[in-house]
Amino acid sequence: MSTYKDLQILSNAAFYDKCNTRNYNRDNILRKNTDDCIYNAKMGNREIPLFKILLTNKCKNDCAYCINCSKHKNQKVELTPEELAHCYMKYYEDNTAEGLFLSSGIKKDADQTMHELIETAHILRNKYSYQGYIHLKVIPGATRDDIKHAMQLADRVSINIESATSEGLSDLATTKDYNKDIIKRISWISRLSNRHHELAPSGFTTQLIVGANDETDKQIIDQTHHLRKKYKITNNYFSSFIPVKDTPLENKKISDPMRTNRLYQIEYLFSQYHIKKDELIFNDDGFLNLKEDPKYNIAVNNMDKYPIDVNTASYNELIHIPGIGIKTARRIKALKRKNKKITSLKQLKDMGANINRCKTFVKIKGQYQSTLF
């Protein structure tokens, strides 16, 4: 088998590993480049092509959703750290890739796997003098020393939590201990990051599979919010469950991508809009409304606060209004500092507001939207 064929298999096997922080297109969960191993990831204000791959798709774990699980009869291949480093440098030198996202199946145990991931990064940094972006996956059960070594070599590290609860993970895999193998490692990464800011300077992330078990949106949000707050996690990633043939969950229904979309929106509302967790609206079963965005649902369930005068509203009140984003809210406040006011919906629209979304929730010059047209 050619090395290129190996790369294709190992890149496809990394399907669930997310390298793109925000993707709201329900028809395109993973935006893949034309090359089989290259995925676009947003870094700051631009997208860069990442070489996303596994060292091996051989795995002793029995994760019920995963194409690489020990029970799946897919073709198993592996690369040595030297082979993978050499292949990546070809992509990098050809300007096809600008960064490496490296994970692996667990061929023997966590220690051996982490050593090979670290060795790959070490070869790139030292033999090839590569100074570009590296994202290394931390294997559940890895030692503290190996995690620190990985963070010394990588720009970013991540560890997959897969599930929001210990019980939920038990439904998916019998070979992982949620608290011991995963949460404990998150605490180590957090402490190392806090004490040594030079380690993994681009931060660390987690990832969760949405819809592979019966966990609710509320359970997922409660846990990811807790992890972000307690351990200062940079990003929580979500992957929509897609059934894979010949796995234990092959007959389970595919997870609606809009559900993942809503979870990402909640993450954004937490980080950018100062929305509090207790403001969120769930149905009686603990799920978000897939038909309306969460910010709108919060507003319509608090109509006693609306309509609100855009000229007297605080910044926090403005960004809570559906149809008014951060940039528009800042423009409104800047106008106020100049002792000027918004006098019409057209002026509000010109400042960037979505009038169809916000008109029910605002008043201008003391007038409600019904008298503003």
Side-chain angles (χ1 to χ4, degrees):
M1 181 186 299
S2 68
T3 300
Y4 182 71
K5 184 65 174 178
D6 290 347
L7 294 178
Q8 287 182 306
I9 292 172
L10 292 173
S11 181
N12 290 334
F15 172 76
Y16 273 121
D17 282 318
K18 296 286 285 183
C19 61
N20 205 342
T21 56
R22 299 287 179 265
N23 192 341
Y24 297 138
N25 184 349
R26 64 182 296 162
D27 297 319
N28 193 10
I29 301 305
L30 275 173
R31 287 190 294 173
K32 195 170 183 182
N33 199 292
T34 53
D35 191 286
D36 285 330
C37 301
I38 305 299
Y39 290 74
N40 294 326
K42 190 170 184 180
M43 299 287 178
N45 294 321
R46 71 186 189 100
E47 286 191 349
I48 70 168
L50 286 186
F51 185 82
K52 183 163 77 77
I53 197 164
L54 304 182
L55 263 174
T56 181
N57 63 348
K58 297 177 181 178
C59 193
K60 73 178 185 65
N61 288 334
D62 61 354
C63 302
Y65 58 85
C66 185
I67 192 173
N68 305 312
C69 74
S70 57
K71 298 178 182 179
H72 196 272
K73 297 179 180 179
N74 60 326
Q75 187 174 3
K76 304 295 186 181
V77 297
E78 62 182 298
L79 295 175
T80 67
E82 178 62 55
E83 287 172 333
L84 198 146
H86 177 74
C87 288
Y88 171 70
M89 288 306 298
K90 283 185 172 293
Y91 276 77
Y92 179 71
E93 290 167 355
D94 289 342
N95 294 317
T96 305
E98 294 183 31
L100 172 66
F101 184 109
L102 181 60
S103 185
S104 183
I106 317 300
K107 184 173 62 174
K108 182 180 177 182
D109 55 38
D111 289 345
Q112 182 194 46
T113 303
M114 277 305 301
H115 292 165
E116 292 186 356
L117 291 171
I118 290 167
E119 183 182 353
T120 305
H122 188 270
I123 291 169
L124 286 169
R125 295 297 193 208
N126 293 278
K127 179 178 178 178
Y128 293 102
S129 300
Y130 173 70
Q131 297 301 311
Y133 180 83
I134 296 178
H135 180 144
L136 287 182
K137 188 68 66 175
V138 171
I139 303 302
T143 68
R144 190 179 186 279
D145 286 344
D146 281 345
I147 291 173
K148 183 176 182 180
H149 198 177
M151 294 175 72
Q152 289 171 334
L153 292 165
D155 297 274
R156 172 171 286 188
V157 296
S158 61
I159 183 167
N160 294 355
I161 64 172
E162 313 295 19
S163 177
T165 64
S166 177
E167 296 77 15
L169 184 63
S170 296
D171 291 338
L172 301 177
T174 65
T175 51
K176 297 178 185 177
D177 185 299
Y178 190 75
N179 292 309
K180 180 181 177 182
D181 294 335
I182 299 173
I183 302 302
K184 187 174 184 179
R185 270 63 190 176
I186 288 176
S187 71
W188 288 351
I189 296 170
S190 179
R191 284 200 293 269
L192 285 166
S193 182
N194 289 335
R195 294 173 184 172
H196 307 281
H197 299 300
E198 73 279 6
L199 299 181
S202 293
F204 74 103
T205 65
T206 65
Q207 180 173 299
L208 184 146
I209 307 297
V210 179
N213 56 29
D214 295 329
E215 289 174 342
T216 67
D217 293 339
K218 187 176 187 307
Q219 287 177 302
I220 292 172
I221 291 167
D222 282 347
Q223 177 66 336
T224 53
H225 183 269
H226 165 74
L227 293 176
R228 182 189 283 271
K229 188 174 181 179
K230 182 173 182 178
Y231 299 114
K232 304 297 186 289
I233 288 171
T234 309
N235 281 310
N236 291 304
Y237 289 76
F238 305 100
S239 287
S240 297
F241 168 74
I242 298 175
V244 176
K245 186 179 179 181
D246 297 327
T247 62
L249 297 182
E250 65 176 343
N251 295 318
K252 188 175 179 63
K253 184 180 178 182
I254 187 173
S255 179
D256 189 337
M258 185 54 70
R259 185 181 173 196
T260 302
N261 175 16
R262 294 292 181 231
L263 291 170
Y264 273 127
Q265 287 178 317
I266 294 296
E267 285 279 299
Y268 194 68
L269 290 177
F270 284 156
S271 64
Q272 302 298 317
Y273 282 78
H274 313 301
I275 299 291
K276 294 181 173 57
K277 186 159 67 74
D278 59 9
E279 294 182 76
L280 299 179
I281 306 299
F282 300 94
N283 65 23
D284 292 340
D285 294 325
F287 290 91
L288 297 165
N289 186 337
L290 298 186
K291 295 181 180 180
E292 290 290 352
D293 73 77
K295 183 179 168 183
Y296 179 83
N297 268 343
I298 291 171
V300 297
N301 280 274
N302 290 275
M303 287 305 295
D304 57 308
K305 298 179 181 179
Y306 301 102
I308 189 169
D309 194 315
V310 293
N311 289 305
T312 60
S314 68
Y315 173 78
N316 192 56
E317 288 172 327
L318 287 171
I319 60 175
H320 271 66
I321 298 172
I324 293 182
I326 292 172
K327 290 182 179 179
T328 301
R330 288 174 177 167
R331 290 173 185 142
I332 293 170
K333 299 310 291 183
L335 193 69
K336 184 178 180 180
R337 286 193 293 272
K338 296 177 182 178
N339 293 318
K340 296 181 180 180
K341 292 184 177 182
I342 292 173
T343 59
S344 67
L345 283 178
K346 182 182 183 305
Q347 185 183 5
L348 188 58
K349 180 180 179 180
D350 290 342
M351 299 188 79
N354 182 331
I355 297 303
N356 288 331
R357 297 293 280 177
C358 75
K359 62 185 180 182
T360 304
F361 304 95
V362 302
K363 57 183 178 180
I364 298 174
K365 297 169 61 176
Q367 295 180 308
Y368 299 111
Q369 65 89 15
S370 60
T371 61
L372 289 174
F373 295 98

